[in-house]
Amino acid sequence: MKLKIYILSLLMIAFCAKAQISIKQSDLQDFSIGKEMEKHEPQHILYKDGKKLAPGKYIMLMDEEGENDKTVKSLFEVNVSGNIDGEMNFEIPDKNFVVKALYKDGVLIRIDKKLNGTLIETSYFDQDIFYEKQFETNGDFKSESRAKDGTLIYSKSMNLSGWDVQDDIKGTRTFYYGKTNKIESRTSTKNLEKDATWMEEKFDEKGTLINKEIKYGEGKKKIIKKDNSYEIMIDTNKGYQISEYSAKGKLLKTYMAAYPTMSIQ
């Protein structure tokens, strides 16, 4: 008899361990998967009355996520602390579209989205940097952004003519020829020469510098040409004072140039 009770107890424990608790997203307090993920903070999952979810396995109807389809379900596990922990899977009508998320004690650390087995979007943390990457349906790279403490520090995407890469750590923004690694132009605001506040470099498709423009304080700028000759322009109340120099730094001439005016028809 005692053996039968013991066996029944084990079966009940096993059944409870496998049993899923059904809930709806609308039962919870403002819960949305991926909400403010870039902050890298615990995403507390609570009922409307403020109570934590009991430890166990859950299947949740996402009746508040998205605009059209209210039939998506998420499957996850809540730990003894009342936080989502481990892998979160989704039941989606479109079987070609697969989404998986990974939580660590309430903190969402990764989301992957695949279409027909190909990764098309991923968001994750690596050494406190939040990455978001997108790919074409054939797997080709599409765009990337990086943020730290909720602030964007890097982005790469395609504009009308080529790659556009902005790196706030280096203080640069770089435009490329198409999808190549050949630089078309680059602006810099950090690691410049003394008193300089901004610099732009332009290159041809062979990688040869066409010209470089450097801005300084108080209306001064320097334009360096392909042959290393250069001009220094100073903004005055009479117009621009322009001094031309040879590649060896010899002053060639200085003259005044009036400000450009707009004609009125």
Side-chain angles (χ1 to χ4, degrees), residues 98-151:
V98 177
V99 181
K100 286 189 176 183
L102 183 64
Y103 280 82
K104 187 175 181 180
D105 197 23
V107 179
L108 180 58
I109 59 175
R110 189 179 190 97
I111 299 179
D112 290 335
K113 299 178 182 179
K114 291 183 179 181
L115 183 63
N116 296 319
T118 300
L119 183 68
I120 58 169
E121 189 175 323
T122 181
S123 304
Y124 62 93
F125 279 92
D126 185 11
Q127 297 182 352
D128 294 329
I129 304 296
F130 177 57
Y131 292 80
E132 287 185 294
K133 296 180 182 180
Q134 293 182 324
F135 302 88
E136 304 288 356
T137 52
N138 64 358
D140 288 350
F141 176 85
K142 185 177 181 180
S143 67
E144 176 181 348
S145 66
R146 303 173 194 170
K148 186 172 184 179
D149 298 327
T151 301

Side-chain angles (χ1 to χ4, degrees), residues 233-257:
M233 301 176 65
I234 299 175
D235 190 2
T236 71
N237 56 7
K238 296 180 180 179
Y240 290 110
Q241 177 186 293
I242 302 175
S243 299
E244 296 184 0
Y245 293 81
S246 69
K248 294 183 178 180
K250 181 181 178 181
L251 177 63
L252 301 177
K253 63 179 178 179
T254 298
Y255 57 95
M256 296 297 296

